[in-house]
Each structure stands twice: as structure tokens, then as C-alpha cells.
Amino acid sequence: MIPNGAEVFKLSRLSIAWLSIIFGIVWAVCWSIGVGLPMLLEGQFGERVTLINEILKAVTPIVAILVFIPINAMFMVLIERRALAIFTVRKGPNRVGPDGNLQTMADAVKLLLKEDITPTGADAFMFTLAPILFFAPSIFGSLPLLAAVTNNHDLFKILNLPTGIFYILASASLPVVALVMAGWSSNNKYSLVGGLRSAAQAISYEIPLVFSLITVCLMAGTLDVVKIAQQQAGGILNWNILGGGALAGLNQFFAAIISGQGADKALAAFYPYGGLSYVAALVLVPCVFMSFCLYLTSACAEINRIPFDLPEAESELVSGYNTEYSGIKFAIFFLAEFTNLFVVASITTVMFLGGGDNPIPPYLLDKFTPFPQMIAALRETPLVKDLHLINPETLFATFWVIAKVYSLVFFAILIRGTLPRFRIDQLMNFGWKRLIPLSLIIFVLVVFARGFVISHG
Amino acid sequence: MATEFQDRVDLKTDEMIINMGPQHPATHGVLRLLLNLDGETVKHVEPVLGHLHRAQEWQGQNRTWFQYQALIDRVDYLSGMFTSWAMARACESIDGMVVPPRAEYLRVIVGEMNRITSHLLWLGTYLIDLGAMFGFPFYPFREREKLFDLFEEIAGQRMMYNYIRIGGVLRDPKPQWFDKLSKFLDEFPDRIDEYEAIVTENPIFLNRTKGIGILKQSVAKDYAVTGPCARCSGIPIDLRKDKPYSIYPEIEFESIGYNKDGDTWDRYMARILEMRESIKIIRQCLAKIPEGDIIAKKQAAGMRVKAGEGFAAVESPRGILGCYVISTGTDKPYRFRWRNPSFCNLSVLPELLVGAPIADIMAIFGSIDVILPDVDR
């Protein structure tokens, strides 16, 4: 197929505009609550309002997420529909608002105004609780990520848990309970089958998912997502996707060559066992890359995206667990699904793709580009010094995080536009007979190979 | 699955009865399937028909020949040319009318074009049934629209053509129309290659279609299955070859799909290859088409067919489409009876579905290519 160049250009322009608006709004809210208002209060009342200021700062991340999730989901639905329209030679939404940009807003309003139906014979309490329980983990479960993706910004430091990834995984396994509840309480056989399917699927695919992340934690030597993100700083060779620090020595080697210092020492420091170390590094690189692929695959299954969207398989189960839902409850399910996609992409970014790290190593940037001077100049402006409106580290980290996360989201959309759906028994076979043994093998290989290389941990 | 588990542990389980359809996103209209499920495995199926019954045969007895001719495109709305063709041939067989050769060529051309559009729609919807929901299915519709544009030029309509008339065809296309058609034929094989590049060797697609829904030769014969489904089960039945009508004897083509396994992937492949064969047939027709009249006798609203009875069948995209007609010589037909391929092909469904998981219901049902209006009439 020849891609429609004009449409693709329009899509990217639109994404950039939307993303600037979204993150502009979110940062404006964060700043006014966490920085602006405390500064104002302190100027007026002095020391007396310290407690209030602390509370305001603590509330900021939660407000940020609550502002971010709905508008982000709106944007993601729109971009998904537009991208799928390009893949499938259609026009996509183009009626509501300029170029169809308000389509998802109109959809949201429609869903909120629709009658909220509880079917006859349904367990009303569980029926109402299910969407809430489905949505809540995607809010509080993603909080530690916020510290990681903003490079541990002052406002989000409070979220920095020492057991970050453990907490994230624990809360990510909660929604499956909600799906079973939704399926059971709807008093609909399609919903019941959908709910049971989602339970079976989530339980089987959580194992390779956790194992692939544990592999990374093993390389990093910590469960703290902020530390994992910071360890990977220093260019693409340091990222976990390329061996989790196995190539860090190579990175140092290049840095030493460029700066003209003793290059041999750098290699020797990172690969202490000579040839054995190099073999270990060669094993680690494909292993960690495989666990990256494993993570993407099982995350796709975890959040019920095509080709693993069996719990809501339209052609078989009408709409699966959410068949009976309408109005705002359905809207919450819908919102949570897209938020989960975003959360999964963020986890991948932090754990494998270096978080907010620039892919170009700093020794190249320092030498050949004017960026370092620009950052230094930016630091001296009153915007940064007095108002704390922009924090240069966070700004660039956020830029790279956004670029990486939305590339992954776009990749998920591309997969959705291409593949058919698995059958439930094939899905189970694939999970238990392929992914789980593979993830175990990778784990064992990494355990042994890691001893011969000085990796991040 | 559940049964293996039961063998080892003495657990009591119940069958679940699910009513799939008539309101279901994937039943291609209004088929209703009563399913007894054991876990996800189908134990018993009962198709419930008649939700789309429009008394098409009875309506024939209350309309004039001229009116009914326009109505029957709706019987199988994806291949309306073939219903018209069957009726025209049945009536011509009573009259003993000789159709002009140019009209015969045009009939074959539009018929094969219609076979392509029908298979294209099947391809798109079948992929939707398999869950490739928003991606691939719209590509076949792109080519289908181009063919519809051509149909619109000659028949004035995009789906309900009423183009093949008793004694010939409605309108003689302009020379530019043939140019457009041959231009389409030049690029269409590449498009089929594109579909095949995405679908045919896709591992998930192979997993979903290889070895499921196997239609055995004996079963296919018992249920009078025709068309690509029967040919994939090893029954060489193709009216264009067996009882050649129109100008098919003068044309070289292959009848697709003998001696295969009869699973859903074969039925997919047979339709892809049939589209390629249709291209060949149309090309030959375009090369050979003679000049001359396009209709034996100009039609008028009060037209009559001589008294008598006649039967004619054509090979539609779904199988053998037969039309039996009794005329008493008045301006209204006395009796019409249709032999619809979809009805016979659908009746084999319970045989294929028992023992399959829920997910395969749509994969198998989709692969036999049933049009519900054609089943219920």
C-alpha cells in the first residue's frame, strides 16, 4: 500500500498540537497548585502556612493524573481512529469540530448523558463497583511512574517508592477482579464467558510479564523505578533494551575515545573477566531484548488489545464483559482501557527505553551540539530561577518520555490495524507453552551472564 | 478442556444454552443459533431460520413479470446479477427465445464482475469475523467500489442492478466502459497479491483457519452443498463446466478447488483463486465480444411469457442457484420456486460446529459464505 503522505503529515501535525495542549494544561495545573499557590501564600502569610503548602504539594501529583487521564484518553481515542482510518483507506472522524478534532469530546458527552441502565437480575452493587475497581488501579498504580518519567521532579518526589515496580505490578493485577465481577454481575451469558476468559488470560500472561520485568530489575539491582530510569542515563547504549548495562562499558569506551583519554581502562573496568565478559555481554543483549518483546506481547494480552482481545471479542461475545454496560459506566471502562495502554507504554519506556534519557549520548551532545550551552542559558532566565516554571532536566526528560510513549502507543495501534484475533485455547497454549518457558530461560541466562559484566546494579 | 478435566475429577457441570443472534454483530444479518455449550465447547447447534422471510416466491405470483424481474435482485443482494440471470434463463427456456451473442457475452462479463464483488465482500467480512476488526477489511471494499462504479454506469444502480432481462440485457455499454473495465482488470491482480500478502501466510490466520470446520465429502453430498464449499471438499461440481450454459464452453478457465482438505483455509483460498479465474474469464470475453443486438425482444411493462414451465440454474458465487417457473400465459407468473445455494450450505452448519469452541463458530460460519436473505427469501 502507498501510505497517504498528506494524511500522515496531517496526523503528525495534529498529534503535536494535541500533545502540546495536553501537557501544557497538565503542567499549568501542577505548577499553579504545587509551586504558584504555595509561593503566593508564603509571600502573604510567611511561615504560618507551611503545613498547607506541604499538603498542596502532596496533592499535586494526584490532581495532575486526574486532569491528565481524561484528556489523554480523548486524544488517544481520536488518534487511534485517525491512524486506523489511514491504515484502512478511510477518512476517519471529520465532522465534529475543525477536522473532526472534537469528535471524542462529543462521544464523551454523549456517553455521560446516556441513560445508565442496570439490567434486570443483575447484582446492582457489584455491577456498579466493577468499573470503579477497574479504573482505580490505573490511577493509583501509575503514580510511581510519574516520578520516574519526570526525572524525579521536586513535585513528584513524594511518589518515589523504594519498591516501585512491585507496587505497579501489584496494582496492575487488580483490574482482572473487576472484569470477572462485571462479567458475573451482568446476568448475561456473553458477559460471563468474557469475564472468565479475561481471568484465565490475565493470570496466564501475568507470569511472563512479571518475569520479563524481573529480568530488568535483576540487571538494575533495584525495584525502584526512579533509580532504574536514572541508571540508564547516557545514551542508547546504556538503555535496558540493549543488555541492561552490558554495553555501558562500550559507551564509556567511546566516551574515552572522543575525549582522548585512556580507552583500554574503561573496557577493563566494565568487562573484568576478559573474553568471558564479552561472551556474557553478547548473551545479555539478545536476552534482554527478548524480554522486551515478551513484555510487549504479554502486556498486550494484559490490557486486552488485539490480537489478544478475547474477553471482548466482538464477533463471538458481542462485547464480552461490558456488553450490558451503558452510559457513564461504559465510559469508565473505555477510559480505563486506554489509560492502561498508556500506563503499559510508560512502564516499557521506563524499564526498557531509558525513561527520559536522550538516545544520543551526552559526550556527543557536549562536543558537537550547542544544547548544553542552551540549557545553561535557560537556567539563568527568571522563568526558571524565580518562578520555577520550567525545570530544564524535567523538560527534556518529559519530551523524550512523550516521544517514546506515544511511539509505543502508535505501535499498538498499528498491530491492532493488522492482526486477527487468537482463539482462546491457542492463546493459552501460546502463553503457557511458549512465553513462560522462554521467559524462564531468559531469566536463568541473565542470572548467570550478569556475574561476568559490571552492569547497572 | 472441561471434559478432560471431568474424566479425572468427578465434577458436576451443566451445559449452558446461549442464544446467538438474531441480534449479534457477526451473524451476517439475522441468523439465530441456539447453542448448547459445555464451557466454551459447542455440544449442540440449532439454526433458527425465517427472521428475514419476505415471501419472495409468493410476491412473484402477485407481480407482473416486469415488476418481479426488478424485485429478485434482492433475493441475494450481493450477487444480484445471478438471480436475474437464473430467472431470465428459466423464462427464455419456456419461450424458446434465442439470446443475441453480444448479450450473452455481456451477461458473462457482468456475472463474473459480480462474482468478484461478492467474494471481495466475503473476504472483508470474514476477516472481521476472525477479529481483524479495524485493519484489513476495508481494502477489499476499495476495489468493490470501483466495480460498483462500473455497474452504476451500465445498470444505473450499484447493488440492485436489474440489468439482465428476459431475452438479453438492459443496456449496451459505451466503448469507454470496456476501457475502464480492462484498466481495472490490469491492476486488480496486484490488489489480490496485497490481500494475500497480509492474510494468506499470517500465522494467526493460519492458526485460526487450518484444520477447523472440515467438511467431509460424504457430508457435503448428503446436504447438497454446492459452490466453492463443495469443490473444496473434493466434489467437482461447477455448472459452468458440468452443464455449460451461455458462452462458458467457448472460454478457457479452471474450476477451482478440487481435492482439498475441505477446511476453512481451503474455502478462503478457493475464493481468492476464483477471483483470479474471473479476471481471466472477463479478459477473454472482452477480447471476443461481438457487435450486435443486446436483447431479443424489447421489453414492455405488460410483457408476457408463453404458457409452460421451465427450470434454469446458474453457478452463483455461493453455489448452484436454480429457478423454477410456471407460466399460464398471463401477465403474471403462476408459480416461482427458487433453489438457493445459501439455504443448502447453511443446513450443513450443525455438522461442522459440534465440538468446536465458541470462537470457531464465526470462523466456520463465515467461511461457508451465507447470505441470510438468500436463505430465507
Side-chain angles (χ1 to χ4, degrees):
Chain A
M1 316 287 160
I2 303 145
N4 191 338
E7 284 289 320
V8 173
F9 180 64
K10 208 162 116 189
L11 184 75
S12 45
R13 215 175 45 191
L14 195 135
S15 323
I16 290 167
W18 262 91
L19 286 173
S20 343
I21 291 170
I22 289 174
F23 287 96
I25 291 174
V26 171
W27 177 240
V29 170
C30 282
W31 183 83
S32 46
I33 295 178
V35 182
L37 199 56
M39 261 162 63
L40 199 70
L41 287 175
E42 213 170 306
Q44 289 284 329
F45 305 106
E47 291 293 310
R48 278 175 294 165
V49 288
T50 320
L51 184 67
I52 298 176
N53 283 354
E54 289 301 314
I55 292 172
L56 278 176
K57 275 182 186 165
V59 170
T60 312
I62 297 164
V63 175
I65 284 208
L66 286 179
V67 171
F68 174 69
I69 283 178
I71 49 177
N72 177 52
M74 242 178 231
F75 162 68
M76 271 164 63
V77 173
L78 185 73
I79 215 75
E80 172 148 16
R81 288 177 64 178
R82 280 192 168 275
L84 284 174
I86 293 178
F87 299 153
T88 54
V89 290
R90 288 180 291 126
K91 290 239 185 280
N94 61 357
R95 293 286 126 181
V96 187
D99 253 352
N101 272 324
L102 298 179
Q103 180 67 52
T104 42
M105 218 167 281
D107 288 350
V109 171
K110 182 206 78 174
L111 279 175
L112 295 183
L113 295 179
K114 260 173 112 173
E115 189 188 353
D116 184 20
I117 300 167
T118 308
T120 324
D123 184 336
F125 177 66
M126 293 234 280
F127 190 75
T128 316
L129 191 59
I132 300 169
L133 203 58
F134 189 63
F135 184 47
S138 58
I139 298 177
F140 66 73
S142 57
L143 285 173
L145 286 172
L146 205 55
V149 296
T150 51
N151 208 0
N152 217 4
H153 188 272
D154 270 351
L155 282 178
F156 306 113
K157 247 180 193 161
I158 195 169
L159 307 169
N160 189 354
L161 290 182
T163 53
I165 194 70
F166 181 72
Y167 170 78
I168 292 169
L169 287 175
S171 51
S173 59
L174 262 180
V176 63
V177 181
L179 295 191
V180 178
M181 271 168 70
W184 178 260
S185 63
S186 298
N187 191 26
N188 179 323
K189 287 164 184 170
Y190 290 120
S191 302
L192 180 61
V193 176
L196 293 179
R197 273 185 180 187
S198 77
Q201 180 179 326
I203 289 167
S204 347
Y205 276 78
E206 222 151 63
I207 302 167
L209 183 135
V210 170
F211 263 108
S212 58
L213 288 183
I214 281 181
T215 312
V216 174
C217 293
L218 187 75
M219 305 289 299
T222 174
L223 290 174
D224 186 348
V225 278
V226 177
K227 266 190 197 150
I228 293 176
Q230 281 170 350
Q231 276 173 353
Q232 301 175 60
I236 193 167
L237 286 175
N238 268 3
W239 292 1
N240 278 338
I241 187 176
L242 289 175
L247 297 182
L250 206 62
N251 209 12
Q252 289 294 321
F253 179 68
F254 288 140
I257 288 180
I258 294 219
S259 60
Q261 289 155 359
D264 300 335
K265 266 189 205 161
L267 276 185
F270 278 88
Y271 305 108
Y273 300 98
L276 206 57
S277 290
Y278 295 123
V279 172
L282 278 181
V283 172
L284 280 177
V285 173
C287 275
V288 183
F289 185 75
M290 292 260 276
S291 65
F292 167 73
C293 300
L294 275 178
Y295 177 75
L296 280 189
T297 314
S298 27
C300 249
E302 192 74 8
I303 58 172
N304 305 330
R305 295 277 304 182
I306 284 178
F308 304 105
D309 68 332
L310 290 131
E312 43 190 315
E314 188 171 284
S315 58
E316 300 148 26
L317 301 181
V318 188
S319 190
Y321 57 84
N322 61 25
T323 305
E324 293 290 347
Y325 281 90
S326 70
I328 189 159
K329 287 176 191 158
F330 176 75
I332 292 176
F333 267 117
F334 202 62
L335 194 64
E337 260 168 43
F338 277 89
T339 312
N340 283 343
L341 173 61
F342 184 80
V343 169
V344 159
S346 314
I347 295 177
T348 321
T349 307
V350 170
M351 297 298 279
F352 291 98
L353 298 180
D357 186 36
N358 190 335
I360 305 162
Y363 49 83
L364 288 179
L365 273 184
D366 291 348
K367 193 143 185 160
F368 301 109
T369 59
F371 287 118
Q373 287 90 330
M374 279 165 67
I375 295 170
L378 195 64
R379 233 182 268 281
E380 293 306 312
T381 54
L383 279 182
V384 177
K385 263 175 93 175
D386 304 329
L387 288 175
H388 303 287
L389 195 58
I390 305 166
N391 181 347
E393 283 91 16
T394 313
L395 182 71
F396 288 103
T398 315
F399 171 76
W400 284 111
V401 165
I402 292 169
K404 288 168 191 173
V405 168
Y406 284 98
S407 309
L408 285 169
V409 168
F410 191 78
F411 181 65
I413 296 171
L414 185 61
I415 288 180
R416 184 180 178 184
T418 318
L419 292 181
R421 182 187 300 128
F422 272 104
R423 206 169 64 205
I424 185 77
D425 54 325
Q426 290 164 352
L427 180 94
M428 287 296 156
N429 282 346
F430 187 61
W432 286 95
K433 293 182 183 165
R434 304 275 191 284
L435 293 189
I436 292 179
L438 190 63
S439 61
L440 282 171
I441 291 169
I442 288 173
F443 182 69
V444 171
L445 278 178
V446 168
V447 165
F448 284 106
R450 185 184 175 276
F452 299 103
V453 184
I454 307 293
S455 58
H456 288 329
Chain B
M1 288 165 60
T3 44
E4 291 166 25
F5 187 59
Q6 270 172 42
D7 291 342
R8 277 182 273 123
V9 187
D10 190 25
L11 257 179
K12 209 180 161 194
T13 55
D14 258 339
E15 285 187 359
M16 181 162 71
I17 299 172
I18 274 193
N19 203 355
M20 196 175 253
Q23 302 292 331
H24 187 279
T27 45
H28 295 218
V30 284
L31 176 66
R32 177 172 161 217
L33 292 171
L34 264 177
L35 304 169
N36 285 31
L37 296 177
D38 178 14
E40 290 229 3
T41 318
V42 179
K43 288 282 163 198
H44 179 74
V45 193
E46 195 188 329
V48 183
L49 306 179
H51 289 277
L52 206 60
H53 185 58
R54 293 162 300 163
Q56 285 283 4
E57 288 166 358
W58 179 83
Q59 286 191 24
Q61 299 157 32
N62 294 282
R63 302 274 185 289
T64 61
W65 293 96
F66 195 70
Q67 286 170 329
Y68 190 53
Q69 194 171 244
L71 199 63
I72 47 156
D73 284 312
R74 277 88 175 158
V75 171
D76 180 352
Y77 57 79
L78 294 184
S79 51
M81 288 292 180
F82 290 91
T83 36
S84 307
W85 200 352
M87 181 202 172
R89 285 192 58 228
C91 298
E92 283 152 14
S93 72
I94 302 175
D95 271 5
M97 215 180 258
V98 179
V99 181
R102 187 172 173 83
E104 288 285 18
Y105 272 93
L106 281 171
R107 281 180 179 188
V108 172
I109 290 173
V110 292
E112 295 299 328
M113 278 162 70
N114 207 342
R115 193 186 306 279
I116 292 175
T117 59
S118 171
H119 284 343
L120 281 176
L121 184 122
W122 170 82
L123 184 59
T125 51
Y126 187 54
L127 265 287
I128 293 178
D129 287 346
L130 289 180
M133 223 180 274
F134 292 105
F136 175 67
F138 289 93
Y139 287 106
F141 280 60
R142 180 183 52 183
E143 273 67 64
R144 192 164 166 263
E145 285 301 310
K146 284 182 188 163
L147 280 175
F148 276 1
D149 287 343
L150 292 174
F151 279 137
E152 197 179 2
E153 265 185 52
I154 55 165
Q157 283 232 44
R158 296 171 78 80
M159 279 182 86
M160 310 301 166
Y161 313 107
N162 192 13
Y163 179 67
I164 296 180
R165 298 289 176 89
I166 299 169
V169 294
L170 172 66
R171 213 170 280 156
D172 199 1
K174 288 173 183 149
Q176 299 96 301
W177 188 85
F178 292 107
D179 296 340
K180 280 182 201 165
L181 180 56
S182 51
K183 202 179 148 210
F184 172 81
L185 293 180
D186 288 340
E187 66 187 31
F188 187 52
D190 294 340
R191 302 297 188 198
I192 301 180
D193 290 344
E194 275 179 5
Y195 312 148
E196 286 211 72
I198 308 178
V199 183
T200 308
E201 295 297 329
N202 185 327
I204 300 179
F205 181 74
L206 286 178
N207 268 338
R208 289 296 307 274
T209 51
K210 271 273 183 198
I212 68 154
I214 292 175
L215 178 59
K216 291 197 189 87
Q217 193 173 348
S218 54
V219 177
K221 273 184 181 163
D222 287 351
Y223 284 87
V225 174
T226 50
C229 299
R231 293 201 285 275
C232 285
S233 302
I235 307 168
I237 178 167
D238 186 341
L239 274 191
R240 295 174 294 177
K241 288 273 185 199
D242 302 342
K243 280 190 177 175
Y245 53 93
S246 191
I247 50 153
Y248 279 115
E250 300 163 25
I251 289 169
E252 280 178 29
F253 67 100
E254 276 174 48
S255 188
I256 300 298
Y258 295 160
N259 300 324
K260 296 272 180 61
D261 309 331
D263 62 6
T264 51
W265 191 80
D266 286 339
R267 294 197 272 275
Y268 155 78
M269 210 55 214
R271 295 200 174 94
I272 291 278
L273 292 174
E274 261 193 7
M275 287 199 275
R276 293 187 191 275
E277 284 302 314
S278 293
I279 298 173
K280 266 194 227 165
I281 296 174
I282 301 175
R283 279 223 175 100
Q284 291 177 42
C285 290
L286 286 180
K288 286 182 183 173
I289 186 164
E291 293 294 325
D293 287 340
I294 50 154
I295 194 157
K297 192 179 145 200
K298 204 111 171 104
Q299 286 195 339
M303 62 179 288
R304 283 152 200 257
V305 172
K306 278 181 201 159
E309 52 188 272
F311 175 82
V314 293
E315 180 75 21
S316 90
R318 271 158 274 284
I320 293 174
L321 177 70
C323 175
Y324 175 68
V325 55
I326 303 177
S327 167
T328 47
T330 59
D331 59 345
K332 282 179 185 171
Y334 178 75
R335 178 82 172 95
F336 256 102
R337 177 86 183 98
W338 290 92
R339 189 266 180 217
N340 294 68
S342 293
F343 181 75
C344 299
N345 292 2
L346 183 69
S347 59
V348 85
L349 196 62
E351 297 273 344
L352 298 180
L353 285 187
V354 172
I358 298 182
D360 281 351
I361 295 175
M362 285 310 148
I364 296 168
F365 172 62
S367 77
I368 53 179
D369 191 11
V370 166
I371 297 298
L372 263 295
D374 195 25
V375 175
D376 294 337
R377 296 189 292 284

